[in-house]
Amino acid sequence: MPMLKQPNQKYAAFKPVALPDRTWPNKTITKPPVWLATDLRDGNQALIEPMDVERKKKMFALNVAVGIKEIEVGFPSASQTDFDFVRHLIEGNKIPDDVWIQVLSPSREQFIERTFESLKGAKRAIFHLYHAVAPVMRNVVFGMSQDQIVNELTIPHVKQVRELMKKYPETEWRFEFSPEMFSNTELEFSKRVVDTVVDVYGATPQNKVIINLPTTVENATPNCYADQIEWMHRNVAKRDCILISLHPHNDRGTGTAAAELALMAGADRVEGCLFGSGERTGNVDIVNLALNMYSQGVHPNLDFSDIDEVKKTVEYCNQLPVPARHPYAGDLVYTSFSGSHQDAIKKAFAARETNNTQLWDMPYLPIDPMDVGRSYEAIIRVNSQSGKGGISYLLQNEYGVDLPRRMQIEFSQVVQRVMDDTGKEMTADDIWNIFDSEYISGGAPYKYVAHKLAEDSSKPEAVEVHAEVVIDGDTHRARGVGNGPIDAFVAAIASELHAPVKVMDYHEHAIGQGANATAITYIEMRVGDGPSLHGVGMDSNIVTASFKAILSGLNRDAKRVKAGVAVTAK
């Protein structure tokens, strides 16, 4: 028995394609491909529990609803369930007039006949024939030479398909051929098989054959697949009689990249599954691939405007979850927890509104979540990694509370202390409850009761205020004068406290509109020799809101003194 090798010594490096004048690296995707959904065939056969009829119906309806016009509905020669489902679609008149159903058959005479039986009466159908061409299949599985593959598998079965199509003239036919394991096959032999198929079928520019070139098992970098596709695109004998189709698998995790580069290399069509179902790591993900096109200014001609409904249906049909980090559809993909990311997103949204621009140019968000039916509510979420930007964004977006910048810093420290204790993510409601408790509802020892104002513009201290305030459960009445209501109220409170209160900054805005609007004020202040801190007041009257904000700050300072720690740094 040979000595065991290290894992890296067991694998032969993939030989690159000799294509020094390749053109695809200088190209871009400027239009969508023809889409073929194979959820009901390739995707279905790889499920732990294949779909029952009810799930098949829902998946077919979803494929149609998102705008896919070619749908591979089964492998009728290999499964009675698939055969019956094809009959259900045809006999029940379930197929829209602009949709082609496709079925797969291996290159075996009886399987081809059985597949045609399943399609009897169809208006439009694509017959998909395949056989393997790779050396490992020829040498190990079939025990056939290249000549035998062409003469015994390709030619007779393409002829059989062509003749059987004539037997069902009521159907508008198209033909697809897949040289299985194309990406592991010598390009010259793949070309020979393809050219043979095109000639035997009698393809013309008006009646093209679909040549599907699959990465049945992905084992090379995406650029190698692109080189293979460009080589075929250049070298097949009758390119104008062919639609080149891609069928990438995702064994290396690069199925999407392989498909995109291969489209740049000259392909016309893509076969895949919604959310990438399929054997092993799956087929290329149509959702991912299609929505990538938006970020390049290309419409995919598919409708994913309600991505959550699409995801819900696919999860039901496949009985498998779509991961939370799935591009475009995952629960967390439009969410930022990072403080620096949140700050950048918040500022970009504000700039977008100020500039009134339609162009999407946002940090950390490649597409607008609204384009796939998501709201902005979950863009910023708060955990222990978050910062002031995310916290203030949630308050502003959900509650209309627009914190001044210095207060954002202060309040983020308050929230951080709570999160350090709990270690959990916080919702907008959680943050609001902390804000309310810290600044608004924590009405002790100071509580606003009432006030009266008198104004005499002839005096330097033009405003006189008579305030009624509860302090430690006792009602106090105080008088103060100043150059404005806040100055006068501070003077009145200071007369009771025998300690100076200095107002350092003031901000206010309305929450809501019209008669139901509420004023909210933010006052940065210092009590005696204490640190600067903020108070917040809310009331339908802006002067009353300002007085409540002063008392809010006093309550927070009293809490600081009692705890023996500073609320915020000096």
Side-chain angles (χ1 to χ4, degrees), residues 133-182:
V133 292
V136 67
M137 298 298 286
R138 299 194 312 257
N139 299 330
V140 177
V141 179
F142 299 149
M144 298 173 74
S145 66
Q146 290 186 1
D147 288 344
Q148 287 176 306
I149 292 288
V150 172
N151 294 322
E152 297 178 27
L153 289 182
T154 308
I155 293 175
H157 297 112
V158 173
K159 285 182 177 179
Q160 182 187 7
V161 169
R162 185 189 62 192
E163 293 306 311
L164 282 172
M165 285 179 175
K166 297 175 184 177
K167 184 178 176 181
Y168 300 94
E170 70 278 10
T171 300
E172 183 179 356
W173 293 105
R174 293 172 67 191
F175 179 51
E176 174 173 346
F177 177 79
S178 290
E180 189 188 13
M181 300 187 71
F182 159 80

Side-chain angles (χ1 to χ4, degrees), residues 173-231:
W173 293 105
R174 293 172 67 191
F175 179 51
E176 174 173 346
F177 177 79
S178 290
E180 189 188 13
M181 300 187 71
F182 159 80
S183 57
N184 298 93
T185 304
E186 310 94 321
L187 284 170
E188 288 289 350
F189 183 56
S190 292
K191 167 182 157 50
R192 178 185 174 189
V193 172
V194 168
D195 288 346
T196 299
V197 169
V198 173
D199 284 339
V200 173
Y201 181 70
T204 66
Q206 295 73 37
N207 182 25
K208 296 183 180 184
V209 64
I210 300 167
I211 296 296
N212 188 49
L213 302 176
T215 52
T216 307
V217 178
E218 185 182 47
N219 59 7
T221 51
N223 59 295
C224 292
Y225 186 50
D227 282 346
Q228 292 173 323
I229 297 300
E230 181 164 342
W231 192 95

